[in-house]
Amino acid sequence: MCQHQPPCPPATAPDHHTARLVAYHPEQGWGLLCNGVLIFDDGGELTPDGRVRPADRAADVVPVG
């Protein structure tokens, strides 16, 4: 899918999120990476094969005490 040199990592690679951004719609909260992964402003992802990686909400937890 990627035409860049060196090519971007595929959607199945651990570093897939380092692929180039080819489309970005901040008003809608999402972007498309060169490898076909949709990234969302909340940190979630949708891969080309339909797998979903939810946003990591651990950073939103505020310790009490």
Side-chain angles (χ1 to χ4, degrees):
M1 183 188 241
C2 177
Q3 301 300 315
H4 302 110
Q5 291 301 323
C8 294
T12 55
D15 61 344
H16 65 272
H17 60 280
T18 62
R20 291 189 189 187
L21 191 62
V22 295
Y24 183 51
H25 294 276
E27 71 282 359
Q28 296 176 355
W30 64 272
L32 175 65
L33 299 179
C34 183
N35 56 12
V37 174
L38 282 171
I39 56 170
F40 298 96
D41 287 351
D42 68 357
E45 297 177 352
L46 178 62
T47 62
D49 64 359
R51 288 180 294 138
V52 174
R53 194 193 116 230
D56 181 11
R57 294 296 183 183
D60 295 339
V61 176
V62 178
V64 177

